[in-house]
Amino acid sequence: MKNTFFFIFIWCLVFTSQAQQKSVMPLVDASDTNICINHAFQFPTRQKDAITGSQFASQVMGLTAEERDSVVYKEIAQGNIPDSFRQSVYLVDSLQDADGNMHSVVLNVLPDFLAIGTDADFLRIPMLPRTAQKLADLYGAVLPTRRMSDLIYLHSPLKLVPHPMTPDSTMATVPVFVRHDSIIEVSCQVAGKPLQTLIAGHKKDIVITNRIANEPERLFIYGWHYPDGKPIQPLSAAHGINYVDYSHGVRLICDKVLVDGKLCSIKGILQHPVLYKLFSDEVGPMAQTQY
């Protein structure tokens, strides 16, 4: 595993060093605290006696969203994540900053939304945004911006057609979470791709946005792209911070990113007056990068 990571890391450095660079300013000073020491997720080993996805669903069936999320956090924090869902996918692209200069970028993303269980028995689990943020913080990750959600969809070899459920009071219940996930799995099996394939189009992203700073009690969602790349869900703050339903997913993106061959922080870049545009399609840098 370490040898595989080393090969990927060296390949990324070689790729970015060969890319055409037009930046007229240094990316990050070597003494900057935003520089990260590596470019990989570090998850605990999943315990052999950890509950499966179906066992988790049964366990939390009658709980409130807050009670359920306490179990979600405990399980994922202990590494109860399917093997295929914890495999890093490296996205290589050339992105433009606010001054119009191009930068080669290598993002490290998880192939799918967070799930609990094993490869054979798992559940992609919607959760409240503050729980999603706690898990992102725990694993040195960020939640996507609208721009990053679009990039992941663009790069995904497996683009699923969205499957909206009936919009009623059951949307926030575990049985509908399970039913929607089973629909997703049927689509995946028809596609015939390996489980660790980068996948998009099957849920909305919980996202970060410039609006978080002034609307701290709102949930921001975006995505659920149609096959033509347009999202069903534009950036929305229609729901409060304590809302969750079956259509929401939590995609972790490693905060450690390679830009022009240099390892730095996505959070730091989002707050940079020029470079923020690499990962944001909004106007101006982001004052607050988390819920």
Side-chain angles (χ1 to χ4, degrees):
M1 185 69 176
K2 290 182 178 178
N3 290 338
T4 301
F5 171 74
F6 180 76
F7 171 79
I8 294 171
F9 185 73
I10 294 301
W11 177 85
C12 292
L13 290 177
V14 171
F15 178 91
T16 52
S17 67
Q18 291 175 344
Q20 182 179 7
Q21 299 177 17
K22 300 179 181 179
S23 178
V24 295
M25 59 188 302
L27 179 67
V28 190
D29 183 81
S31 62
D32 197 308
T33 57
N34 284 329
I35 290 181
C36 304
I37 60 172
N38 56 43
H39 193 210
F41 288 100
Q42 301 293 330
F43 295 116
T45 302
R46 185 180 185 277
Q47 300 301 306
K48 292 181 179 180
D49 60 349
I51 58 175
T52 64
S54 56
Q55 289 171 335
F56 166 80
S58 296
Q59 182 176 323
V60 302
M61 193 67 72
L63 302 183
T64 66
E66 291 77 11
E67 292 168 339
R68 182 176 66 238
D69 267 30
S70 68
V71 182
V72 170
Y73 182 82
K74 173 177 172 288
E75 292 298 322
I76 296 179
Q78 291 177 347
N80 190 3
I81 305 167
D83 288 342
S84 294
F85 282 62
R86 60 173 67 214
Q87 303 301 317
S88 292
V89 176
Y90 291 86
L91 307 186
V92 181
D93 210 329
S94 182
L95 305 178
Q96 191 175 61
D97 67 23
D99 285 344
N101 297 313
M102 302 302 295
H103 301 268
S104 57
V105 172
V106 183
L107 277 169
N108 177 2
V109 307
L110 291 185
D112 205 330
F113 296 110
L114 283 177
I116 289 173
T118 67
D119 279 2
D121 184 349
F122 61 83
L123 177 66
R124 295 176 184 87
I125 182 65
M127 64 189 81
L128 299 170
R130 286 176 176 150
T131 304
Q133 187 63 63
K134 282 176 62 179
L135 288 168
D137 293 344
L138 178 66
Y139 289 124
V142 296
L143 299 174
T145 61
R146 184 168 57 183
R147 167 78 165 134
M148 288 190 278
S149 177
D150 288 341
L151 280 171
I152 290 171
Y153 186 82
L154 176 66
H155 283 271
S156 293
L158 181 52
K159 296 177 173 67
L160 296 184
V161 177
H163 289 282
M165 308 289 280
T166 303
D168 58 25
S169 60
T170 67
M171 292 169 59
T173 65
V174 174
V176 174
F177 295 177
V178 173
R179 195 178 316 140
H180 188 252
D181 211 44
S182 67
I183 294 172
I184 293 171
E185 279 313 291
V186 169
S187 298
C188 289
Q189 290 168 15
V190 170
K193 297 284 188 181
L195 196 57
Q196 66 270 24
T197 302
L198 182 65
I199 176 178
H202 51 319
K203 284 184 181 290
K204 305 169 187 175
D205 282 293
I206 296 177
V207 296
I208 54 174
T209 166
N210 290 20
R211 293 170 58 184
I212 286 179
N214 295 320
E215 301 174 69
E217 294 303 313
R218 307 311 296 173
L219 160 68
F220 294 93
I221 50 177
Y222 172 81
W224 218 3
H225 296 72
Y226 289 111
D228 64 3
K230 295 180 180 179
I232 288 179
Q233 179 66 69
L235 181 65
S236 171
H239 301 294
I241 198 76
N242 294 318
Y243 179 81
V244 58
D245 70 41
Y246 76 94
S247 68
H248 302 175
V250 177
R251 175 97 65 172
L252 296 188
I253 302 173
C254 186
D255 185 47
K256 303 152 190 178
V257 61
L258 277 170
V259 179
D260 297 334
K262 297 185 179 182
L263 205 54
C264 55
S265 163
I266 291 178
K267 292 178 184 177
I269 287 176
L270 285 171
Q271 296 179 322
H272 192 280
V274 175
L275 298 176
Y276 79 90
K277 207 67 175 179
L278 299 179
F279 303 126
S280 172
D281 60 5
E282 299 182 59
V283 177
M286 192 174 291
Q288 182 176 324
T289 59
Q290 59 190 52
Y291 286 92

